[in-house]
Amino acid sequence: MAIQTVGIIGAGTMGNGIAQACAVSGIDVVMVDISDAAVQKGVATVSGSLDRLIKKEKLTEADKAAALARIKTSTDYAALKGAQLVIEAATENYELKVKILKQLDALLDADVIVATNTSSISITQLAAVTGRADKFIGMHFFNPVPMMALVEIIVGLQTSDETHATVKELSERLGKSPITVKNAPGFVVNRILVPMINEAFFVLAEGLASAEDIDAGMKLGCNQPIGPLALADMIGLDVCLAVMEVYLKEFGDSKYRPCPLLKEMVAAGRLGRKTGRGVYSY
């Protein structure tokens, strides 16, 4: 089944990024959020992002106009009825996602695929609350969506091969390079990345090197574009801590214990860029 129209729930950072990737690739989009202000802000973000691509001569004004014309917005889930695939990109909250998925189930035709952009919640568990578990899948995009090539396609225990093939083909049409992952806490990228960030906090706490030198070491020695501590500030220290706590609980393995310094900084409200101070000051 070739996807012609994609529904997106959530017009925030991830939702509008996915909308842009689809629209630029010639796919029609219906982007839904709870308020008109939220969807308009999402469209404005896409417009600004396309302007930057025009400045870099990667798009023309005509390309921008065509892409924006493909994005329809609504505050009503009923607008999603024509989509062959609906991607849920709401806040990372299990109860909220379950509520949305149940609403979608009641509304959408039986053959519509539903995907979630979750970065941490079990695909198998979410699929189980729907009446279309074989047509439920994870599509974990990375921020900023228009620039990042990766999509983690996460198959739950119940996901059909046909659903996987359709979503993989769509990801490639969006110009992405998908990887297929079985369902497990953190999937692949965050499972490796967040414990690495946590280890950088242990190195910092032990006084082995300054934050600047730790980050310089990983940038120069491992060719990372940003050091792990600066990256933690960008992600949010509270988010890093929450992810480590999920791993510790789900795997029951002490290697996932959060660094006490990370916990201390979160307790102090030093969450990174969003609060003006984390490992570094902004």
Side-chain angles (χ1 to χ4, degrees):
M1 175 178 69
I3 306 286
Q4 303 303 329
T5 303
V6 170
I8 298 168
I9 294 170
T13 305
M14 298 308 289
N16 69 57
I18 298 166
Q20 178 180 327
C22 290
V24 167
S25 304
I27 294 161
D28 292 327
V29 175
V30 181
M31 186 166 63
V32 176
D33 211 319
I34 49 174
S35 71
D36 203 45
V39 289
Q40 292 315 319
K41 188 180 173 192
V43 171
T45 302
V46 172
S47 181
S49 177
L50 295 173
D51 284 339
R52 286 193 291 280
L53 291 172
I54 290 168
K55 267 191 188 152
K56 291 177 183 168
E57 298 185 349
K58 291 186 176 177
L59 282 185
T60 64
E61 288 285 356
D63 293 332
K64 177 191 171 179
L68 288 176
R70 289 187 193 105
I71 301 175
K72 305 279 182 286
T73 61
S74 181
T75 54
D76 184 358
Y77 278 26
L80 299 165
K81 270 192 89 66
Q84 293 90 42
L85 167 74
V86 175
I87 302 171
E88 171 276 309
T91 311
E92 197 71 347
N93 174 299
Y94 176 73
E95 285 74 25
L96 175 66
K97 289 187 188 295
V98 167
K99 185 181 159 199
I100 289 169
L101 294 176
K102 288 189 167 168
Q103 281 178 272
L104 289 177
D105 240 16
L107 173 79
L108 301 173
D109 290 343
D111 60 344
V112 177
I113 294 171
V114 175
T116 175
N117 180 54
T118 183
S119 56
S120 65
I121 299 170
S122 165
I123 302 303
T124 298
Q125 195 180 355
L126 288 173
V129 306
T130 75
R132 63 185 78 228
D134 61 321
K135 292 193 168 54
F136 189 83
I137 198 163
M139 279 186 93
H140 180 211
F141 290 84
F142 287 75
N143 186 23
V145 177
M147 312 306 293
M148 298 289 273
L150 182 65
V151 179
E152 280 183 317
I153 300 177
I154 304 106
V155 291
L157 198 60
Q158 317 91 316
T159 309
S160 72
D161 291 345
E162 186 190 0
T163 298
H164 171 257
T166 302
V167 168
K168 184 168 186 269
E169 190 265 339
L170 173 69
S171 302
E172 287 164 351
R173 269 167 66 204
L174 299 183
K176 304 301 181 192
S177 301
I179 62 170
T180 299
V181 181
K182 287 181 183 169
N183 184 59
F187 313 134
V188 165
V189 175
N190 287 342
R191 167 85 174 269
I192 296 166
L193 176 69
V194 183
M196 183 194 76
I197 288 171
N198 191 52
E199 198 60 34
F201 274 93
F202 274 115
V203 172
L204 181 65
E206 288 164 24
L208 297 184
S210 67
E212 290 81 1
D213 282 354
I214 292 166
D215 278 352
M218 292 305 287
K219 279 160 68 178
L220 299 171
C222 298
N223 212 17
Q224 295 181 351
I226 181 173
L229 297 170
L231 182 58
D233 278 354
M234 210 158 94
I235 294 168
L237 270 57
D238 53 335
V239 176
C240 295
L241 176 59
V243 171
M244 288 306 295
E245 285 171 337
V246 166
Y247 294 170
L248 186 63
K249 177 172 165 277
E250 295 289 332
F251 292 114
D253 188 331
S254 64
K255 75 178 180 184
Y256 295 113
R257 72 200 185 286
C259 175
L261 176 62
L262 176 60
K263 292 166 88 165
E264 180 93 346
M265 290 176 79
V266 170
R270 293 187 187 173
L271 307 183
R273 288 178 183 244
K274 61 187 168 189
T275 58
R277 185 156 187 205
V279 177
Y280 301 101
S281 293
Y282 299 91

